[in-house]
Amino acid sequence: MKRIGIDDFTYYNYPTCMVSSPDGAHAALAVVNANVKDNRYDSCLWIYTMADGSVRKLTGGKKERNFIWLDEKTLLFTSDREKSYAEKVKNGEDWTCFYKISICGGEAQFAFAVPYKVSKMKLAGNKLVMSIKYDYNKPDFASLEGEEKEAAAKAWKEEKDYEVFDELPFWANGQGVVNKIRTRLAVYDMETGKAEIVSREYENVEGYWVEEGDKVLYISSLYTDKKDVYQGLMQYTISSGKLETLVEQKDMSIDYACILGGKVTFFGSYMKDFGFNENDKLYTVENGVVTLLSDYDDSIRNTMSCDCKFADGAGFVHDDKYIYFLSTVRKQTVLRCFDAAGNLKTLIDRQGSIHTIDVCGDTIYFTGMRDMGLTECYSFDGKEEKKLTSFNDALLAERSVCPVEEFTFTYKGIELDGYVMKPVDYDPNKTYPGILTIHGGPRATFGPTFFHENEVFANAGYFVFFTNPLGSDGRGNVFADITGKHGTIDFEHCMAVT
């Protein structure tokens, strides 16, 4: 057995965003891999065939990760294979190239390019609804031509040696400078080739969903100097170009919205009882009136701490009957659903972590971690869970994966979950050094799942201890609320586990 070393994460495969074809016969997914030489992560598209359980690589360009199904046999994805557009991007313009590829064979074909930096895309008939990264710090090259564009490009390049910060926040973790940068909503007509930004100036689009083929619901955060903690909910009708405010940006945070049972239904919070990180409840809105549908207390996302996953796909999906969503409960991720009346049902409840979900008919597809393994793809038919891929099985079979042992303990009247990993080749007659690891947050959670850093410690000969102190997710708002207590009771809980 090889011991897990610090560099082993560069050998892991990271499948993400498994999405079934419209007819349910296949599924597409992205597999991400570390590229140490170029200091980046590469990704290619793969196809899973339901009939025989086979999985095969579809693309090899190493930059294919953002995709959608156009029909049962065709994928549309973004990449940067066109030299002419690559040169334009090098000169400061924003372009995204789109390609079509048949899952039956053949090379990908260039389809079209749009003058925006596209983040995500969704299909709406013959139109593409896109979220784009828009930088107000530089000229809008898409609206300029000829000498005017050349002059604007020259002036912009001459000023690139400094940044102007006149907004809050001007920097964000994982993003870098965000001053005067927004995510905007754009629509591209694949028949006419016309692209148009449809969200408002300086409005940040923080999530969007295409409903009923012609409507786009999106979460709005509109600001020009200081970003608000509140969000609004907007509806854009593609055929008419009409933009409506459904929920004003004044007293709520919003995380997901859809049309269920004929009503706009969404997860949101007034943040009055537990502040900014308060768990969402389920609401409907009709004629500007927001109505509570379910007084839910658990989280609505996966907050399991993990240092070796990608979760590009959906954490919320819906069909005609249900909203499906992930929830962290104690020390695992469960899959739940609400119907249009606000009735809650738990569908998958077992130890592990679920990262992304998709629903096709009566089957749920997801990427996640099971049994101290790395991320793989799974299906759930309502009764039984089935493992579909084995991207990492061979590698882990050669590694000494140290198990996580669970226990509970009580500190000042509060029952807490504790975890310990023994050193590799543990000998009870020897003494070993120990490491206490602490998750971040707020509202993160540890569980008995694969965590690369902890495996490295245990394989290097250390005991590894960890717990979920007060302030962690998975046990409702009261347990997660640590306002005004940072560095006090949470510190005591972390020390008590040892």
Side-chain angles (χ1 to χ4, degrees):
M1 281 286 186
K2 297 179 181 178
R3 296 191 178 188
I4 294 177
I6 190 66
D7 294 332
D8 274 10
F9 78 94
T10 64
Y11 307 123
Y12 301 160
N13 297 294
Y14 304 93
T16 183
C17 193
M18 186 179 192
V19 180
S20 62
S21 59
D23 62 357
H26 301 86
L29 60 141
V31 178
V32 182
N33 298 98
N35 181 336
V36 176
K37 179 182 177 181
D38 298 322
N39 192 29
R40 72 183 189 207
Y41 282 93
D42 295 334
S43 54
C44 297
L45 301 183
W46 291 63
I47 293 295
Y48 180 86
T49 301
M50 305 297 179
D52 59 11
S54 63
V55 59
R56 58 187 169 87
K57 183 184 286 189
L58 184 66
T59 67
K62 299 183 179 181
K63 293 185 178 180
E64 301 86 36
R65 196 157 146 191
N66 185 13
F67 70 91
I68 58 171
W69 288 94
L70 288 179
D71 55 42
E72 288 80 0
K73 303 293 184 182
T74 310
L75 289 176
L76 180 72
F77 66 90
T78 61
S79 192
D80 63 351
R81 305 177 182 187
E82 307 306 302
K83 292 183 178 179
S84 59
Y85 286 103
E87 188 64 26
K88 291 181 179 181
V89 171
K90 185 178 179 181
N91 291 328
E93 297 184 38
D94 290 330
W95 286 92
T96 300
C97 294
F98 292 78
Y99 300 82
K100 294 180 181 180
I101 189 169
S102 170
I103 65 171
C104 299
E107 295 293 323
Q109 301 296 317
F110 174 72
F112 54 86
V114 298
Y116 308 121
K117 190 178 292 185
V118 177
S119 301
K120 294 290 183 181
M121 56 179 166
K122 300 180 189 296
L123 193 63
N126 64 344
K127 294 181 174 62
L128 205 60
V129 183
M130 310 171 294
S131 58
I132 65 170
K133 186 177 180 180
Y134 192 91
D135 190 348
Y136 284 97
N137 298 297
K138 69 179 187 180
D140 185 358
F141 291 112
S143 64
L144 304 175
E145 294 181 355
E147 293 182 357
E148 187 180 12
K149 178 184 284 189
E150 292 178 5
K154 181 180 179 181
W156 176 68
K157 288 180 180 179
E158 290 174 350
E159 297 177 355
K160 282 187 68 177
D161 58 347
Y162 65 91
E163 300 274 2
V164 175
F165 294 154
D166 56 2
E167 287 187 339
L168 288 175
F170 55 80
W171 180 275
N173 288 339
Q175 300 179 58
V177 174
V178 295
N179 193 86
K180 288 289 194 294
I181 295 176
R182 301 289 189 272
T183 297
R184 304 187 69 186
L185 196 68
V187 176
Y188 177 78
D189 191 316
M190 290 186 285
E191 291 184 354
T192 66
K194 179 184 178 182
E196 179 185 12
I197 296 176
V198 299
S199 57
R200 297 172 292 180
E201 292 287 340
Y202 290 97
E203 183 177 45
N204 201 49
V205 176
E206 301 183 347
Y208 74 102
W209 302 270
V210 175
E211 298 294 310
E212 300 177 346
D214 190 43
K215 298 174 182 177
V216 184
L217 301 179
Y218 71 87
I219 300 169
S220 165
S221 176
L222 181 63
Y223 66 101
T224 55
D225 50 8
K226 181 180 178 182
K227 192 177 189 302
D228 204 341
V229 298
Y230 302 118
Q231 299 162 311
L233 182 62
M234 308 294 293
Q235 177 176 287
Y236 176 76
T237 304
I238 299 173
S239 58
S240 66
K242 183 179 180 181
L243 184 63
E244 304 171 73
T245 299
L246 303 182
V247 178
E248 292 186 17
Q249 182 182 329
K250 63 177 183 177
D251 56 7
M252 295 193 80
S253 66
I254 300 171
D255 284 291
Y256 176 78
C258 67
I259 296 178
L260 188 68
K263 289 186 177 182
V264 174
T265 306
F266 67 95
F267 281 110
S269 170
Y270 285 102
M271 303 177 285
K272 291 181 178 179
D273 297 321
F274 299 97
F276 180 74
N277 292 295
E278 184 174 327
N279 289 335
D280 287 1
K281 303 182 187 303
L282 189 64
Y283 297 89
T284 61
V285 59
E286 198 169 17
N287 299 321
V289 179
V290 175
T291 303
L292 180 66
L293 188 61
S294 176
D295 190 9
Y296 189 64
D297 187 57
D298 289 327
S299 71
I300 57 162
R301 55 180 55 83
N302 178 356
T303 54
M304 299 290 296
S305 295
C306 181
D307 58 357
C308 49
K309 73 172 182 180
F310 283 81
D312 293 351
F316 307 88
V317 293
H318 77 280
D319 55 20
D320 294 338
K321 296 180 179 179
Y322 302 102
I323 297 174
Y324 303 86
F325 65 100
L326 302 177
S327 181
T328 302
V329 177
R330 193 81 181 214
K331 53 189 176 181
Q332 64 198 47
T333 313
V334 303
L335 178 65
R336 290 174 165 171
C337 66
F338 275 113
D339 64 15
N343 298 308
L344 178 67
K345 183 189 300 184
T346 298
L347 304 174
I348 300 177
D349 184 6
R350 59 162 291 192
Q351 189 58 61
S353 177
I354 302 175
H355 305 154
T356 69
I357 56 175
D358 183 54
V359 174
C360 183
D362 295 327
T363 304
I364 297 165
Y365 299 96
F366 65 92
T367 59
M369 290 177 164
R370 295 297 195 224
D371 305 319
M372 289 301 295
L374 288 164
T375 303
E376 299 292 349
C377 299
Y378 298 83
S379 66
F380 179 72
D381 62 4
K383 296 180 180 179
E384 186 179 14
E385 187 176 296
K386 180 181 179 182
K387 184 180 178 182
L388 304 178
T389 64
S390 300
F391 286 108
N392 295 290
D393 287 5
L395 183 145
L396 288 185
E398 298 177 345
R399 299 298 195 276
S400 53
V401 178
C402 295
V404 177
E405 298 180 15
E406 307 174 56
F407 60 94
T408 59
F409 65 101
T410 301
Y411 182 81
K412 292 186 177 180
I414 300 177
E415 183 182 87
L416 300 170
D417 297 314
Y419 308 93
V420 62
M421 297 172 67
K422 293 176 181 176
V424 67
D425 300 327
Y426 170 67
D427 183 345
N429 297 314
K430 294 182 179 180
T431 58
Y432 297 86
I435 294 178
L436 171 65
T437 65
I438 304 171
H439 66 60
R443 298 191 178 225
T445 312
F446 272 137
T449 53
F450 191 97
F451 198 97
H452 175 70
E453 183 182 62
N454 290 345
E455 288 293 339
V456 172
F457 292 152
N459 275 266
Y462 291 87
F463 269 94
V464 183
F465 306 95
F466 46 104
T467 186
N468 291 318
L470 195 72
S472 301
D473 199 9
R475 299 176 66 173
N477 278 305
V478 173
F479 187 86
D481 181 29
I482 199 171
T483 304
K485 304 173 188 175
H486 290 89
T488 59
I489 188 64
D490 53 338
F491 172 78
E492 293 178 25
H493 285 177
C494 288
M495 297 307 295
V497 74
T498 61

